[in-house]
Amino acid sequence: CEPLSINTYQYREAALLDIGNGPCGILNFIPGNIKVGIDPNNKMYRENEILYNVEEGVSYITCPAEKLRLPGEYFDFISCVNVLDHVSDPQIVLDEIIRVLKPGGVFFLSVDTRKEEETSLVHPHAFDGDKFIEMAVPLVCLYARNDQPCYDDNPVNKRFDGWFRKP
């Protein structure tokens, strides 16, 4: 992958999707016309008032990433941060991302990598950066790195960050 330069302000009129938005997702920091956050815990976040830094106009939908009830080829930008190693089926999630991403759209993925023997109930999948790139086909990898510290501070594992574009 080659170095990538993306100006987030180019998405000011775009449709943005954050998969696994958590209590404070990336949608709060990127300008966009339509913003949708998907997380199976969004209802719980709302009921317990733990969604924070919430911008007006962000739609938070409670559903698993494996079953996006969203139109195909709709979103200009999709982010998925620290999610794929927690879902029941990462390939189905990636297939859904590919389905709802517009041609020419950009997908940002960030996730901890680990070895098979380091999986657990909360991290049921073992991945490395090359496997993610293969799983994301037909998306084109624009830039990737696998040398950052893990989200869970595991000293052995690393984090994969990748930028992809749908042809």
Side-chain angles (χ1 to χ4, degrees), residues 1-121:
C1 295
E2 297 299 317
L4 173 69
S5 174
I6 290 185
N7 177 354
T8 58
Y9 288 93
Q10 74 188 30
Y11 293 103
R12 187 173 302 282
E13 300 302 317
L16 313 176
L17 174 63
D18 186 18
I19 296 180
N21 55 260
C24 180
I26 196 169
L27 295 175
N28 298 303
F29 306 100
I30 300 176
N33 187 37
I34 297 169
K35 297 181 179 189
V36 178
I38 299 288
D39 195 303
N41 297 314
N42 275 335
K43 181 179 178 186
M44 185 263 306
Y45 296 150
R46 273 194 298 273
E47 289 173 353
N48 292 288
E49 298 179 359
I50 57 174
L51 277 172
Y52 56 96
N53 289 336
V54 176
E55 281 191 8
E56 213 175 286
V58 177
S59 298
Y60 290 100
I61 299 171
T62 303
C63 80
E66 293 88 348
K67 296 179 183 178
L68 299 178
R69 294 182 185 99
L70 300 167
E73 298 188 343
Y74 185 80
F75 292 93
D76 299 285
F77 176 79
I78 300 175
S79 59
C80 184
V81 176
N82 195 22
V83 173
L84 280 187
D85 57 332
H86 297 278
V87 299
S88 62
D89 192 326
Q91 186 62 60
I92 289 175
V93 174
L94 280 170
D95 291 346
E96 280 290 273
I97 289 167
I98 292 165
R99 182 184 69 78
V100 301
L101 186 63
K102 281 183 182 176
V106 172
F107 168 52
F108 173 70
L109 171 67
S110 184
V111 66
D112 290 346
T113 59
R114 62 190 74 250
K115 296 176 182 138
E116 194 67 45
E117 61 270 15
E118 296 164 336
T119 59
S120 66
L121 183 61

